[in-house]
Amino acid sequence: MEIITAASVLAADLGNLSAEVGKCAEADVDMIHFDVMDGRFVEQITYGAPVLKWVRKATDIPIDAHLMVEDPTRQIEFFAEAGADIIDIHIESDCDVTACLKRIRALGKKSALAVKPGTPVEQAFSYLPLCDMLLIMTVEPGYGGQGFIPEMLPKIEKAREFAEKNSFSVDIEVDGGVNEKTAALCRTAGANVLVAGTALMKAADMKAANSALKGTS
Ligand code: DX5
Ligand code: ZN
């Protein structure tokens, strides 16, 4: 399976966002991961669709908008218009999950459903026909730079097995504490989209770090 890497700009120098995003493309990173926090679903507030619009101008690589917000319903339109390619909503958020996933696709974007560490992955299974990607959080959402939770690996395995059994061509993304070591565990478990903030943005050599995540170095 082709491994896709996504750089979380949460770990970037946000005062130089365009340049930072440019560096990702130069390092052959496949996607930009854009963490949206509203101060309610999680403690912090980061950035929203008006900022994503500028990231869109800075790069041609796909942008994955991870909405850690209490109710993503109204935000979907804004992020689609701002140029996101994938829009990830949380199953734990206060919304009509089916309607939101359908809306994302109706706007011509890829839909993704995210599950927090405490949420059994089986809860996402009935939504998979509406999902292009399943995001399995490997840390508690809210902050970059946390340690990978190894207990999440069986969730990845279960999800990949379920998708294969049912012939769903769904990407499985992991997010949080992903580095060269944990990426290998995630790939073996069946994840094919690897989000990394610290491991990519703070690497001395981003290109080498990107290859290490893919297991090609
Ligand atoms: C956490 C975010 C992650 C975070 C990952 O809530 O969803 O995308 O930026 O950062 P690292 O790779 O440093 O754990
Ligand atoms: Zn994220």
Side-chain angles (χ1 to χ4, degrees):
M1 202 179 313
E2 196 209 341
I3 302 297
I4 296 164
T5 50
S8 168
V9 289
L10 192 59
D13 172 355
L14 295 174
N16 291 298
L17 194 49
S18 302
E20 292 278 85
V21 166
K23 271 194 231 164
C24 297
E26 271 170 40
D28 299 329
V29 171
D30 301 303
M31 285 203 303
I32 296 297
H33 183 83
F34 192 83
D35 286 304
V36 180
M37 304 186 188
D38 67 349
R40 295 174 73 93
F41 187 79
V42 291
E43 274 179 351
Q44 294 287 345
I45 297 175
T46 52
Y47 29 63
V51 177
L52 190 140
K53 218 175 225 171
W54 286 97
V55 174
R56 177 72 294 158
K57 284 183 188 164
T59 185
D60 290 332
I61 64 177
I63 303 175
D64 173 28
H66 177 193
L67 306 188
M68 287 165 276
V69 302
E70 208 166 64
D71 181 2
T73 314
R74 291 178 61 211
Q75 297 301 318
I76 290 168
E77 220 88 31
F78 295 138
F79 281 93
E81 203 194 307
D85 298 279
I86 309 173
I87 301 178
D88 318 21
I89 60 159
H90 265 270
I91 195 167
E92 304 87 359
S93 62
D94 190 10
C95 72
D96 180 337
V97 172
T98 299
C100 284
L101 292 170
K102 283 186 178 166
R103 185 77 192 126
I104 295 168
R105 282 188 167 174
L107 290 164
K109 307 297 178 178
K110 285 190 172 174
S111 61
L113 187 61
V115 290
K116 295 208 286 188
T119 304
V121 73
E122 290 81 357
Q123 286 186 16
F125 287 178
S126 63
Y127 297 107
L128 287 187
L130 297 173
C131 298
D132 297 295
M133 186 164 78
L134 173 66
L135 165 51
I136 297 177
M137 291 299 302
T138 43
V139 297
E140 266 321 314
Y143 293 94
Q146 303 182 73
F148 182 85
I149 305 173
E151 288 78 15
M152 297 302 108
L153 291 167
K155 286 169 76 168
I156 303 168
E157 285 166 6
K158 275 185 212 163
R160 179 55 72 201
E161 202 183 300
F162 182 85
E164 272 172 9
K165 228 185 222 164
N166 294 281
S167 307
F168 293 144
S169 67
V170 68
D171 286 318
I172 298 181
E173 179 176 58
V174 285
D175 181 15
V178 177
N179 54 35
E180 178 173 358
K181 230 178 174 174
T182 57
L185 303 174
C186 293
R187 293 193 314 263
T188 306
N192 67 309
V193 183
L194 310 172
V195 176
T198 312
L200 283 174
M201 301 306 311
K202 306 233 194 282
D205 181 344
M206 199 193 288
K207 202 168 188 161
N210 187 54
S211 304
L213 289 177
K214 291 192 181 215
T216 53
S217 61

mmCIF file of all heavy atoms in Angstrom, residues 19 47 61 87 115-116 133 144 169 187 209:
data_model
loop_
_atom_site.group_PDB
_atom_site.id
_atom_site.type_symbol
_atom_site.label_atom_id
_atom_site.label_comp_id
_atom_site.label_asym_id
_atom_site.label_seq_id
_atom_site.Cartn_x
_atom_site.Cartn_y
_atom_site.Cartn_z
ATOM 1 N N ALA A 19 6.327 29.984 4.048
ATOM 2 C CA ALA A 19 7.657 29.391 3.830
ATOM 3 C C ALA A 19 7.704 27.973 4.397
ATOM 4 O O ALA A 19 8.271 27.068 3.777
ATOM 5 C CB ALA A 19 8.726 30.252 4.491
ATOM 6 N N TYR A 47 -6.464 27.963 14.461
ATOM 7 C CA TYR A 47 -6.744 28.797 13.286
ATOM 8 C C TYR A 47 -7.908 28.194 12.517
ATOM 9 O O TYR A 47 -8.252 27.031 12.693
ATOM 10 C CB TYR A 47 -5.503 28.899 12.389
ATOM 11 C CG TYR A 47 -4.585 27.693 12.471
ATOM 12 C CD1 TYR A 47 -5.010 26.418 12.072
ATOM 13 C CD2 TYR A 47 -3.291 27.808 12.967
ATOM 14 C CE1 TYR A 47 -4.187 25.308 12.166
ATOM 15 C CE2 TYR A 47 -2.456 26.690 13.071
ATOM 16 C CZ TYR A 47 -2.920 25.451 12.666
ATOM 17 O OH TYR A 47 -2.108 24.351 12.767
ATOM 18 N N ILE A 61 0.106 21.017 -2.832
ATOM 19 C CA ILE A 61 -0.142 19.678 -2.276
ATOM 20 C C ILE A 61 -1.459 19.675 -1.485
ATOM 21 O O ILE A 61 -1.899 20.703 -0.986
ATOM 22 C CB ILE A 61 1.056 19.128 -1.440
ATOM 23 C CG1 ILE A 61 1.339 19.964 -0.198
ATOM 24 C CG2 ILE A 61 2.299 18.990 -2.292
ATOM 25 C CD1 ILE A 61 2.470 19.400 0.669
ATOM 26 N N ILE A 87 -11.689 16.855 4.516
ATOM 27 C CA ILE A 87 -12.218 17.483 5.734
ATOM 28 C C ILE A 87 -12.538 16.364 6.719
ATOM 29 O O ILE A 87 -13.303 15.447 6.419
ATOM 30 C CB ILE A 87 -13.450 18.360 5.430
ATOM 31 C CG1 ILE A 87 -13.066 19.464 4.427
ATOM 32 C CG2 ILE A 87 -14.014 18.958 6.731
ATOM 33 C CD1 ILE A 87 -14.193 20.386 3.992
ATOM 34 N N VAL A 115 -11.585 9.401 15.273
ATOM 35 C CA VAL A 115 -11.960 8.850 16.580
ATOM 36 C C VAL A 115 -10.865 9.137 17.603
ATOM 37 O O VAL A 115 -9.679 8.943 17.339
ATOM 38 C CB VAL A 115 -12.253 7.324 16.533
ATOM 39 C CG1 VAL A 115 -13.526 7.028 15.777
ATOM 40 C CG2 VAL A 115 -11.102 6.521 15.939
ATOM 41 N N LYS A 116 -11.289 9.613 18.774
ATOM 42 C CA LYS A 116 -10.356 9.911 19.867
ATOM 43 C C LYS A 116 -9.863 8.596 20.480
ATOM 44 O O LYS A 116 -10.515 7.542 20.314
ATOM 45 C CB LYS A 116 -11.063 10.741 20.949
ATOM 46 C CG LYS A 116 -11.493 12.113 20.481
ATOM 47 C CD LYS A 116 -11.544 13.121 21.621
ATOM 48 C CE LYS A 116 -12.702 12.968 22.562
ATOM 49 N NZ LYS A 116 -12.818 14.073 23.536
ATOM 50 N N MET A 133 -11.642 8.447 4.350
ATOM 51 C CA MET A 133 -10.529 8.201 5.270
ATOM 52 C C MET A 133 -11.058 8.080 6.699
ATOM 53 O O MET A 133 -12.039 8.734 7.067
ATOM 54 C CB MET A 133 -9.533 9.372 5.172
ATOM 55 C CG MET A 133 -8.262 9.178 5.956
ATOM 56 S SD MET A 133 -6.956 10.339 5.447
ATOM 57 C CE MET A 133 -7.488 11.827 6.293
ATOM 58 N N GLY A 144 0.272 19.250 20.119
ATOM 59 C CA GLY A 144 1.313 18.537 19.398
ATOM 60 C C GLY A 144 2.372 18.091 20.396
ATOM 61 O O GLY A 144 2.333 18.485 21.566
ATOM 62 N N SER A 169 -12.541 0.861 0.195
ATOM 63 C CA SER A 169 -11.208 1.407 -0.079
ATOM 64 C C SER A 169 -11.060 2.704 0.717
ATOM 65 O O SER A 169 -11.211 3.798 0.196
ATOM 66 C CB SER A 169 -10.994 1.633 -1.569
ATOM 67 O OG SER A 169 -11.832 2.645 -2.020
ATOM 68 N N ARG A 187 2.353 1.421 10.223
ATOM 69 C CA ARG A 187 2.319 0.854 8.868
ATOM 70 C C ARG A 187 2.043 -0.642 8.939
ATOM 71 O O ARG A 187 1.213 -1.172 8.188
ATOM 72 C CB ARG A 187 3.647 1.102 8.127
ATOM 73 C CG ARG A 187 3.930 2.557 7.816
ATOM 74 C CD ARG A 187 5.084 2.682 6.807
ATOM 75 N NE ARG A 187 6.227 1.843 7.123
ATOM 76 C CZ ARG A 187 7.326 2.247 7.768
ATOM 77 N NH1 ARG A 187 7.435 3.509 8.158
ATOM 78 N NH2 ARG A 187 8.306 1.413 7.997
ATOM 79 N N ALA A 209 13.584 12.802 7.150
ATOM 80 C CA ALA A 209 12.552 12.423 8.129
ATOM 81 C C ALA A 209 11.318 11.883 7.414
ATOM 82 O O ALA A 209 10.696 10.913 7.863
ATOM 83 C CB ALA A 209 12.186 13.631 8.984
#
